[in-house]
DNA sequence: CGGATTTGACCTGCGC
DNA sequence: GCGCAGGTCAAATCCG
């Protein structure tokens, strides 16, 4: 499953301009070889290339048709399009080891999530049912976490969140290219 | 004690 | 102009 599917995704993006395969692809490939139960797909996510998801056999399953040729569309020209790679991973854990060291710098609650989950506010007195309800109402949410590569001067950022449509999937979005090798080397 | 994480505040862009 | 949401900052806190 995984690695074949993943390589299909890789080749799918290989022809795109504005898009360069980075070390994460190779590291994820290695990681998948060791953990075959996980399903992983990859898709491009940039203003010029909204979402091109890759199916099991590598075919493009995006409703927008085939992979973009990368030419900039009508999106705001002033906004620089950084290289961005997103991984969709079927996993219970949200923080996957991709061979790089990350420093968390922010967290956001995703509003109106169709798949609400409880936050980690666990110290709720269960005897107080009313309060329990109130607290849950306030804190039901999904979180989006923001990370920066902890290597000084490296511009790479990563964003981790649950898939809105299927909470069993974790979407990890990488932005930029590392200017160094991973710590696993 | 130093590095990592948490979390509320702040900034910015966008739609109405 | 205003409100909202996404993204980032930075002080406080945690933890090895």
């Amino acid at each position: 499953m995984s690695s074949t599917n993943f390589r299909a995704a890789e080749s799918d993006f290989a022809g795109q301009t504005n898009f360069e395969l980075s070390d994460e692809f190779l590291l994820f490939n290695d990681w998948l070889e060791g953990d075959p139960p996980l399903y992983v797909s990859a898709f491009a996510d940039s203003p010029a290339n909204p979402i091109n998801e890759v199916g099991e056999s590598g075919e493009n399953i995006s409703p927008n048709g085939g992979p973009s040729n990368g030419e900039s569309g009508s999106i705001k020209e002033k906004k620089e399009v950084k290289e961005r790679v997103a991984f969709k991973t079927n996993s219970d854990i949200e923080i996957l080891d991709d061979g790089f060291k990350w420093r968390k710098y922010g967290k956001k609650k995703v509003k109106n999530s169709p798949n609400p989950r409880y936050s980690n506010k666990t110290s709720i007195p269960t005897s107080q049912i009313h309060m329990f309800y109130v607290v849950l109402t306030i804190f039901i949410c999904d979180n989006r976490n923001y990370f920066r590569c902890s290597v000084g001067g490296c511009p790479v950022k990563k964003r981790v969140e649950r898939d809105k449509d299927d909470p069993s999937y974790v979407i990890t979005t990488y932005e930029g290219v590392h200017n160094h090798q991973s710590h696993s080397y």
Side-chain angles (χ1 to χ4, degrees):
Chain A
M1 64 186 315
S2 48
S3 60
T4 304
N5 175 55
F6 190 75
R7 289 203 175 90
E10 190 174 300
S11 63
D12 191 59
F13 295 120
Q16 294 184 33
T17 59
N18 293 341
F19 211 81
E20 217 171 83
L21 297 175
S22 56
D23 291 339
E24 288 90 353
F25 274 92
L26 306 174
L27 290 165
F28 259 80
N29 240 0
D30 290 341
W31 175 67
L32 285 170
E33 308 260 302
D35 297 273
L38 292 174
Y39 171 87
V40 170
S41 64
F43 53 84
D45 177 13
S46 76
N49 186 25
I51 291 283
N52 291 314
E53 198 162 349
V54 178
E56 295 266 356
S57 57
E59 82 279 19
N60 192 291
I61 59 176
S62 161
N64 298 330
S68 150
N69 59 10
E71 287 170 13
S72 58
S74 58
I75 313 295
K76 307 265 184 286
E77 302 277 332
K78 61 181 176 183
K79 206 164 194 176
E80 188 184 347
V81 177
K82 282 190 177 181
E83 291 181 21
R84 213 153 84 166
V85 183
F87 295 94
K88 190 175 169 185
T89 308
N90 191 340
S91 172
D92 286 338
I93 57 171
E94 300 184 8
I95 310 302
L96 305 169
D97 182 11
D98 53 10
F100 291 92
K101 203 174 174 190
W102 300 94
R103 185 189 179 104
K104 189 172 183 175
Y105 68 90
K107 182 174 90 172
K108 268 291 184 193
K109 289 177 169 50
V110 179
K111 293 191 74 175
N112 301 321
S113 169
N115 302 301
R117 297 182 309 126
Y118 305 141
S119 75
N120 56 359
K121 303 271 180 188
T122 53
S123 57
I124 301 166
T126 51
S127 59
Q128 298 177 22
I129 300 303
H130 178 66
M131 276 304 297
F132 185 64
Y133 176 79
V134 170
V135 172
L136 283 184
T137 302
I138 293 170
F139 288 107
I140 280 178
C141 63
D142 268 354
N143 289 323
R144 176 181 294 158
N145 296 298
Y146 299 91
F147 298 87
R148 239 193 293 267
C149 183
S150 65
V151 173
C154 182
V156 179
K157 288 182 231 173
K158 126 176 159 177
R159 200 172 69 193
V160 179
E161 62 192 296
R162 285 275 162 191
D163 190 342
K164 280 185 295 188
D165 299 323
D166 186 348
S168 65
Y169 285 87
V170 175
I171 296 177
T172 307
T173 306
Y174 295 91
E175 197 173 299
V177 177
H178 293 280
N179 57 14
H180 58 92
Q181 290 195 322
S182 77
H183 69 245
S184 61
Y185 286 120

